[in-house]
Each structure stands twice: as C-alpha cells, then as structure tokens.
Amino acid sequence: MNKVLKTALNILIFALITGFGYYMFHSMRSERKTTQPGEENSDFTFISPYEKTNSFDAASQIQSFDIYSNSIYVALTDKVSVFDLQGNLQYDFAIETGARNIVLDGRDKACLVLYSTRIDLYTFEGEKKDEWEACSANSDYCAFTTTKDYVFVTDAENKNIVQYDKLGNLVRFIKSPEGFIIPSYAFDIISINDTIYCSNSGRHKIESYTIDGEFIASFGIAGAQAGAFAGCCNPVYLAKNFDGNILTSEKGNPRISSYGRNGKFRTILFDSNMLGGGTDASKMRVFGENIFIVNGKTISVYGRDKAHLVSTENSCAGCPMREKCKK
C-alpha cells in the first residue's frame, strides 16, 4: 500500500513540475513575440522600429508643418516659426490667421500657406510674394502638394482636386472615378516622383493620379486590423518616406503605418501608446531616416531603433530569403 501511495505521490509531483515548466516556457515565449496593433484576441506586445530621439515645443498649437534643407517651418495661429532640426527657433514671420497647410517648394524656394479659399506665397525668409484666390466661391481647401510645374489642392466642398500651374493659373479639376467622400476634412495629398496620392477617407482608400490628372489606381480596405483603415474617415494624413513609400496616419485608434506605392501593406510603425493615446491623428513628415510627428504644440523626432534593427537582422540570419527581403 505504501508503495502505491509513494508512486502516486511521485506522479503528482512530476505532473506539477511539468505543468509549471510548461507555464513558464509559454509565458516567456509569448512575451518575446510581437504583433501589429489591431489584431484581435492577441496578448502580444507591439514593438516599433523607431525610438524617440528628441522633442521640442512651438509657441502654440501647430496647424501644419513641413521640412526642407535642415529647416522646419511650423504654421501656428498667426505666424510661421522656423526651427533647425534640433528644435532651436531661428526666426518667425507673420501670416494671416486660419492657415490649414504649409508646403515648402525647394524648386522655387517658396513657402506656400494654404487657407480655405486661397494660397499665399512667401520666400523662405518670410516675405510675401503673391496670393492665389480659389477658383470657386464655395471652395473649402484642405491640403496641397507641389511638383516641378504644378500645385495640387484638395477641395472638401467641391470634392475634387484642383490643379494650378506655378503662376496660379487653373489647369484642371480632377474628380475621383469612385467619388470622393470626405468627412472631417480628412483629405490629404502628397506627390512622389510626379505621381499624386490623396486620401479618399470616407471610402478608406488612397488614390493615385498622374500629373495630367489621369486616375492610376486605388488601394485600401475598411477594418481595424493591421493594413486596413478603421472608423468613418481614414487615413487622415499622408507622408512620403525616405525610401519612397507612403506613410498613413489614422485617427480613432491613432497609428502610423507604411505602405508601398503599389498599395502593399508593409508594417505599422507607431501605435496609439507611442503617439500619446487620445483619438486624434498625428501630423507627420520624414527627413532623412527620421520621422517628425506633431501632437498639439509638440514636435517629436524619432530615429530607427538600432537595437530593433540588430534583433531583426539576427532573426533573419538563417533565412534563405534574407537577401531578397533587403532589396
């Protein structure tokens, strides 16, 4: 009888030790894994490939900003503040209230400021050169971008893209073949190598056009998962990355993601926690390999996380597709 009890006790102890060992192994394995935000039923932790390297404040709420030649131009309520890349204020110049967007055109050495019904042109030093009135009395301009010969402006009221030449002359109106649906002024636009990309946020898509206004393609799906756009109107903001790809910034559950120009989802770069929570989308610009992100009156600078890059490199060491993935 004692022998039976002893055997049963040994089996019980062995089972307890085995169970505890499995629990510890499973817990440690789960902590090491990462996933993209938006995946359902996941206990994994998101790890960004970026880390904050600097932050600095403007004098008030930032309406828009752009970067050119080591200078950051920040549009505030009634002025533009110019900072160097380290966040040191260089100088200010006055503008009228109500600015919605600012773009620096290095080809023409011009700072363009967008209002709901016009565009003001300044030198980089802040001298006003010209202004272009909107071509429609009920225009409601949201955002704009420049190419070598043209300026493209999104109009939320007329639900189109307005194309100007560099003298302010109207070239054409560009309509979406799918129809623009624009809630909440989420109607951003960028240019990459003479291809125009704009958000059709009510349809959860990004559309591309030639500089002649011809529709090329669209991509995007609705959903909360990684690689999709959630809520009523996303993405809110667009930016071009140093590698020629597209960054998107979303509201609701704020995050910044990366897509190829062919529309293929690449990865989420920043989740809601890194962006400070809340529900607002973050404005963003890329200079070199750094991403500059605005929330309120603060500009935060993020560089590539070297520890993350080393970890990723090591994890790919034995993969036969490693060299192909780098390309």
Side-chain angles (χ1 to χ4, degrees):
M1 189 68 175
N2 289 338
K3 186 175 181 180
V4 173
L5 288 175
K6 185 175 181 180
T7 300
L9 182 60
N10 287 337
I11 292 173
L12 178 61
I13 292 172
F14 177 79
L16 289 172
I17 293 173
T18 302
F20 179 76
Y22 175 80
Y23 169 77
M24 292 298 295
F25 172 79
H26 181 74
S27 298
M28 292 174 66
R29 185 169 179 266
S30 296
E31 289 176 359
R32 286 197 300 268
K33 287 189 175 181
T34 62
T35 189
Q36 303 286 14
E39 291 185 3
E40 297 179 358
N41 302 319
S42 173
D43 295 325
F44 298 150
T45 302
F46 169 71
I47 299 178
S48 172
Y50 285 86
E51 61 180 348
K52 185 185 289 189
T53 60
N54 190 22
S55 66
F56 55 94
D57 288 346
S60 61
Q61 182 89 5
I62 297 172
Q63 308 303 315
S64 181
F65 77 115
D66 201 7
I67 306 174
Y68 177 76
S69 187
N70 299 318
S71 293
I72 307 170
Y73 283 63
V74 179
L76 306 178
T77 304
D78 58 359
K79 66 181 178 181
V80 170
S81 293
V82 182
F83 297 87
D84 64 21
L85 294 180
Q86 289 69 48
N88 301 304
L89 180 63
Q90 304 300 295
Y91 56 91
D92 300 309
F93 61 87
I95 60 173
E96 293 189 30
T97 60
R100 291 187 170 177
N101 203 197
I102 185 171
V103 167
L104 302 175
D105 190 336
R107 305 171 188 87
D108 296 330
K109 299 295 187 291
C111 172
L112 291 77
V113 180
L114 182 72
Y115 295 86
S116 60
T117 57
R118 74 174 195 278
I119 299 172
D120 288 355
L121 285 77
Y122 295 84
T123 65
F124 281 164
E125 294 71 33
E127 178 185 353
K128 189 171 181 179
K129 297 165 54 179
D130 200 358
E131 66 177 58
W132 307 342
E133 292 296 329
C135 48
S136 173
N138 64 339
S139 291
D140 198 357
Y141 289 165
C142 291
F144 65 151
T145 189
T146 63
T147 63
K148 179 182 177 182
D149 299 311
Y150 302 107
V151 177
F152 295 83
V153 188
T154 58
D155 187 338
E157 179 63 29
N158 294 300
K159 295 178 175 54
N160 60 22
I161 301 170
V162 185
Q163 183 177 357
Y164 293 95
D165 66 19
K166 287 296 184 70
L167 297 176
N169 300 308
L170 173 66
V171 176
R172 63 175 59 89
F173 298 108
I174 302 170
K175 294 279 190 179
S176 167
E178 301 181 15
F180 287 121
I181 300 177
I182 309 299
S184 306
Y185 293 98
F187 201 4
D188 206 5
I189 187 168
I190 59 172
S191 59
I192 303 176
N193 296 335
D194 282 342
T195 298
I196 307 304
Y197 297 86
C198 72
S199 56
N200 192 346
S201 57
R203 296 191 183 278
H204 303 98
K205 290 186 176 183
I206 295 171
E207 299 184 357
S208 58
Y209 296 84
T210 69
I211 57 172
D212 296 320
E214 296 295 325
F215 176 78
I216 301 173
S218 67
F219 68 87
I221 58 172
Q225 72 272 22
F229 301 122
C232 71
C233 41
N234 272 312
V236 178
Y237 300 114
L238 306 177
K240 54 185 176 183
N241 205 356
F242 67 91
D243 54 8
N245 290 300
I246 300 168
L247 301 189
T248 64
S249 179
E250 299 173 54
K251 68 176 183 177
N253 179 25
R255 60 186 179 184
I256 293 175
S257 304
S258 174
Y259 292 82
R261 280 173 286 171
N262 60 359
K264 184 177 180 181
F265 172 70
R266 301 179 70 203
T267 187
I268 290 179
L269 301 176
F270 300 87
D271 67 354
S272 178
N273 290 332
M274 288 192 71
L275 296 174
T279 59
D280 294 336
S282 297
K283 303 175 182 70
M284 57 189 174
R285 285 289 182 268
V286 178
F287 188 81
E289 293 196 4
N290 292 326
I291 298 180
F292 294 72
I293 297 176
V294 160
N295 281 300
K297 66 177 187 176
T298 301
I299 297 179
S300 298
V301 186
Y302 292 86
R304 299 302 295 269
D305 185 343
K306 294 182 176 58
H308 178 84
L309 290 175
V310 170
S311 174
T312 303
E313 184 77 8
N314 290 339
S315 69
C316 296
C319 176
M321 299 294 289
R322 179 184 181 193
E323 294 304 319
K324 186 175 182 179
C325 289
K326 285 181 177 181
K327 296 179 180 179

